[in-house]
Every structure is written in structure tokens, then in C-alpha cells.
Amino acid sequence: MTQDQEQPLISHLIELRNRLLKVVLVVAVLFIGLFLFANDLYLILVKPLSALLENHGQMIATGVASPFLVPIKLTSVMAVLLAMPYMLHQAWGFISPGLYQNEKKFAVPLLVSSVVLFYAGVSFAYFVVLPIAFGFFTLAGPQGISIMPDITNILDFCLNMFFAFGFAFEIPVATFLLVLTGITSVEALAEKRSYIFLGCFVVGMLVTPPDVFSQTILALPMYALFELGVIASRVIKTEED
């Protein structure tokens, strides 16, 4: 590698370091601000469950440090989620100079739609899935059994559902990228609908708790989002032709 080639590489690494430092700083500032309300955030998170436990049981902390560590973990995840638009903005600023004009035309809408869809998936999990799931689990037990879920397990369950649905809602973007890059075609995807439908249930089985209810409530939106991605790909391909 010549000296002329080393200079651009070093400048790119310096730029990458600076952008990463900015992201870390933003996440740290958000964490500090959110940590002041960490306990309130946890109460908001478990509201779908706490409303059901008034007549069935209560939440407990089995670990000595759980009342302190659980809010910290929740605050850390919330800080990263809230910083996601800024993180993608920094990523776009780093990679955009190397993209062609026709690639930039799709990049910005894809980045924006990715953020919106991820937040939509998290919102769907919180407002729709968690109340139904918690209601199902609390009523499925035998009569006379007091339900006392651990606060750490509740947090882990909620975060797993948030990320599962957040990434599942990215399926339209992933489908469009597969078609745009030529890896597959709209026709090929349409022919494999039955396999994709089955695959959605397999993914739901792997990333959700081991019950048919949770698997189904993730698999069906995943397949619907796949169909949305196919429709969007077909429309854009038609416009380009």
C-alpha cells in the first residue's frame, strides 16, 4: 500500500472514530437523562402486567441487586433505542460519499422507513402483544395459584418481544433490498409464498416464548409485512420499467 493510499484509509478511520464517539456521547447523555426516571420507566413498561396482577399476584425481585440493576438495563436499552435515528444519521454520513446517485435515491427512504418500522414494531409489541400475552399467561394457570413473576424475567421477556417485533417489522425493507440488489425477484418471492409462510412460524417459534400463541402473534404480522414488501417492490419495479 502506497502512502497516497494510506492517507485516505487513515482519514476514513478517523472519521469513523469521530462518528462513533458522537454516538456514544449521545447515548450517554440520553442514559443520564433517562436514569433520573428509571423507576418510572419500569412501571410504565410493566403496566400491562401490573394491571392484571392486582387480583392475581404481585411482582417480586429474587436477586439482591435486581431492584438496582433492572432499571439500569432498561434505561440503557431505552437510550440506545431513542438514539437510533442519530446513529443511522451518522452511518449515512459515513457511507453516503461512496454511493452512486441512483443508490442515494433509495438509501434515505430506506433508512427513514427502517427507523419508522422498527418503532412501529416496538409499539405494536407494547400496546397490542404484551397486554394479550400477559392476559393469556395470567389466566392460563390453575385456580388459586398466586402469580409472582420476577422483575428481571419480566424485563427480559418485554425486551425480547420488543426486539423480535422491531426486527420483524423490517421485513418490507429487507424484501425490497433483496429485489433491488437482484438477489431475487418479485416473481420468485411470490412463488415461494408457502415456504415463507412456514418460515415465519419457524422464526416465531425460535424468538418467542415456547407457546403457540406467541408464535402465531409474531408469525402472522411477519407474513403480512412480507406481502407488503412484495407489493412495494412490484410497484417500484413497474415505475422504473
Side-chain angles (χ1 to χ4, degrees):
M1 181 179 295
T2 64
Q3 185 174 359
D4 292 337
Q5 291 174 319
E6 290 177 355
Q7 290 299 324
L9 176 60
I10 293 174
S11 63
H12 287 321
L13 291 176
I14 292 175
E15 182 186 1
L16 179 60
R17 181 201 63 184
N18 292 338
R19 292 186 181 278
L20 288 175
L21 288 175
K22 290 178 182 178
V23 169
V24 171
L25 179 61
V26 169
V27 172
V29 171
L30 288 172
F31 174 82
I32 294 172
L34 291 173
F35 187 71
L36 301 174
F37 310 96
N39 291 331
D40 294 329
L41 288 174
Y42 188 81
L43 293 178
I44 294 173
L45 175 71
V46 300
K47 188 176 181 180
L49 177 61
S50 59
L52 296 170
L53 290 178
E54 292 179 355
N55 299 321
H56 295 279
Q58 60 182 350
M59 290 177 285
I60 61 173
T62 57
V64 175
S66 294
F68 175 72
L69 295 178
V70 167
I72 288 181
K73 182 177 180 180
L74 174 60
T75 305
S76 301
V77 175
M78 287 295 297
V80 172
L81 290 178
L82 291 178
M84 186 176 296
Y86 183 77
M87 294 165 63
L88 290 175
H89 172 72
Q90 290 297 322
W92 168 248
F94 182 73
I95 66 174
S96 61
L99 296 178
Y100 295 107
Q101 193 60 39
N102 63 327
E103 294 174 333
K104 292 182 180 180
K105 180 178 67 174
F106 292 108
V108 174
L110 286 175
L111 286 174
V112 174
S113 60
S114 295
V115 175
V116 173
L117 286 170
F118 186 86
Y119 285 155
V122 173
S123 300
F124 181 79
Y126 180 76
F127 291 105
V128 178
V129 179
L130 288 184
I132 297 175
F134 287 144
F136 174 79
F137 294 143
T138 53
L139 296 176
Q143 290 287 340
I145 299 297
S146 296
I147 303 173
M148 294 186 293
D150 178 65
I151 59 173
T152 302
N153 293 334
I154 298 172
L155 176 62
D156 292 339
F157 176 81
C158 291
L159 293 182
N160 288 338
M161 297 299 284
F162 287 162
F163 283 105
F165 279 87
F167 287 116
F169 270 55
E170 299 291 338
I171 288 178
V173 176
T175 303
F176 177 74
L177 286 175
L178 289 173
V179 175
L180 180 65
T181 56
I183 296 176
T184 186
S185 64
V186 176
E187 294 74 17
L189 290 174
E191 291 175 357
K192 296 180 174 61
R193 277 192 172 97
S194 58
Y195 299 103
I196 293 173
F197 184 78
L198 178 61
C200 290
F201 277 89
V202 173
V203 173
M205 177 183 67
L206 294 175
V207 302
T208 60
D211 63 276
V212 177
F213 172 78
S214 299
Q215 297 166 13
T216 304
I217 206 170
L218 175 60
L220 293 181
M222 285 177 64
Y223 182 75
L225 290 165
F226 160 74
E227 291 290 351
L228 178 63
V230 171
I231 293 173
S233 300
R234 180 178 286 114
V235 170
I236 293 176
K237 281 292 185 181
T238 302
E239 291 178 355
E240 287 184 344
D241 297 339

